[in-house]
Amino acid sequence: MVQDEVLYNADFAQVIYHADTDILRLNLIGNIMKEDYQTAWNVLLDFYLEKQPKKVLIDQRPMNKASLESRAWFVVKWLPKFKRKVNQKIRVAVLFSKSIAMKIGGQFLVDSATKDVPNLEIKTFQSEEDALLWLHQVAD
């Protein structure tokens, strides 16, 4: 069995690569300040470019809060950068925070990414099991 590789570990985020399933995972944690939110997504992109997985899991369940300013940055700055650097098809599963406000904000980000980045296939899930099942349906 291949060991999971913790690529980044901070109070506000973790990036883990599951080599056996070729899944790159971002865990967002707690109340995330704007700079930390930007760092988390930029670190994810850096490791994505290094590992080139076809599957990504974004787990927002441990996250309590991220500002509207952070989400605006994601749409205006990060998504276009991601779109420029990534040209393969990617399947992204998103696990939303339990908070209603975070779900609404998260859905806005998913909708923006779906609209702005045509090579992304994004779906949201309530359970990690369902998200992983969907990710594994990808034909390599």
Side-chain angles (χ1 to χ4, degrees), residues 2 5 13 37 41 47 51 58 61-62 77 85 91-92 110-111 122-123 125 129 133 135:
V2 181
E5 189 179 352
Y37 188 84
W41 285 101
F47 284 119
K51 300 290 186 185
I58 309 296
R61 293 173 302 174
K77 300 283 192 199
K85 294 185 177 216
R91 194 170 257 211
V92 180
V110 166
D111 293 345
I122 302 178
K123 195 167 175 188
F125 295 90
E129 296 75 28
L133 276 172
L135 285 172

Side-chain angles (χ1 to χ4, degrees), residues 28-40:
L28 295 167
I29 303 162
N31 293 327
I32 305 178
M33 300 298 111
K34 187 180 99 176
E35 293 77 17
D36 292 342
Y37 188 84
Q38 292 175 359
T39 296

Side-chain angles (χ1 to χ4, degrees), residues 75-106:
V75 173
V76 173
K77 300 283 192 199
W78 192 85
L79 274 178
K81 181 164 75 170
F82 181 83
K83 185 178 175 180
R84 281 193 311 276
K85 294 185 177 216
V86 176
N87 48 26
Q88 70 176 357
K89 276 260 186 236
I90 307 162
R91 194 170 257 211
V92 180
V94 180
L95 293 163
F96 280 150
S97 164
K98 302 271 186 273
S99 146
I100 295 297
M102 291 309 304
K103 279 184 184 167
I104 292 167

